[in-house]
């Protein structure tokens, strides 16, 4: 089987390719969103710890 025969998607090629493209964009967007949110949450935790507010499992007492 030749590569071009394998890649022949028939009359619905545009729909298939657009569907894969949209799914890829959504997954990349979700990964970016999670990474950005993680950075924000870590920054918020650093700010709280700088104010003297520690985690419950930590040895610091809450101010």
């Amino acid at each position: 089987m030749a590569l071009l025969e394998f890649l022949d998607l028939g009359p619905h090629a545009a729909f298939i390719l657009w569907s894969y493209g949209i799914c890829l964009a959504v997954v990349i967007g979700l990964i970016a969103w999670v990474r950005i949110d993680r950075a924000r949450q870590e920054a918020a935790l650093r700010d709280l710890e700088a104010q003297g507010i520690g985690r419950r499992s930590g040895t610091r007492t809450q101010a």
Side-chain angles (χ1 to χ4, degrees):
M1 177 186 297
L3 182 61
L4 291 177
E5 290 177 14
F6 177 72
L7 295 177
D8 183 22
L9 301 175
H12 304 292
F15 173 78
I16 294 169
L17 294 175
W18 274 105
S19 297
Y20 275 109
I22 291 170
C23 287
L24 181 64
V26 168
V27 168
I28 290 171
L30 288 172
I31 290 171
W33 179 21
V34 167
R35 291 179 63 111
I36 291 168
D37 188 51
R38 178 182 176 185
R40 287 180 183 166
Q41 294 298 324
E42 287 176 347
L45 281 173
R46 281 192 303 272
D47 290 344
L48 288 172
E49 288 179 353
Q51 294 174 11
I53 301 172
R55 299 181 185 182
R56 287 186 200 177
S57 62
T59 57
R60 288 185 179 179
T61 58
Q62 191 171 3

